[in-house]
Amino acid sequence: MIRYGKDQRVAVTLTINGRPYRRWVEPRMLLSDFIRDEVGLTGTHVGCEHGVCGACTVLIDGEPARSCLRLAVDVEPQNVTTIEGLAKEPGYERVRRAFSQNHALQCGFCTAGIVASVWSRLENYEGLQVDWDELLSGHLCRCTGYVGIQNAIRDLQGEEREQ
Ligand code: FES
Ligand code: FES
């Protein structure tokens, strides 16, 4: 339920990485700004701010979403997971290792968003055919040329098959 204050801010409670955060915000506040500026979770990066680069990707109820295209008030009943939340998951270490060993990042600006998308596919579509190139097409990386990222994904898929 939306409650307006005197200055037209609204009370919002978002569940991020399993913790509730209640704030008074402008109704137009983006989810990406809520995550970074209100909660201080700066692992989510903001690049283009209009849905193109994928840097701001987080998980909303387990599915990847551009946090620069969602209003904070809009996701109130849902669960948001950022890279800080993923880093506490038991399966995160193998993703981190695959990215590290394959030099799948340089400046790292795009990495949190890519990891969120890859994570979602590995968790939610295990054993199913995934078009990884299509997935990566939603993420702009200016540094790596994508080869390292593709190799990291290949390693992760190989691990999955061996399990
Ligand atoms: S900052 Fe959201 S897609 Fe670029
Ligand atoms: S590692 Fe720099 S933008 Fe991807």
Side-chain angles (χ1 to χ4, degrees), residues 15-18 31 58-65 70 74-82 86 116 119-121 123-125:
T15 304
I16 302 176
N17 303 330
L31 175 59
V58 297
L59 300 182
I60 299 180
D61 286 345
E63 289 293 331
R70 300 293 299 270
D74 191 36
V75 293
E76 189 160 31
Q78 296 170 289
N79 291 303
V80 177
T81 308
T82 68
L86 292 180
W119 180 279
S120 159
R121 288 304 181 271
E123 289 286 306
N124 300 335
Y125 301 91

Side-chain angles (χ1 to χ4, degrees), residues 45-56 66-69:
H45 293 156
V46 175
C48 65
E49 277 195 291
H50 60 269
V52 174
C53 73
C56 66
R66 311 282 210 232
S67 59
C68 74
L69 293 184

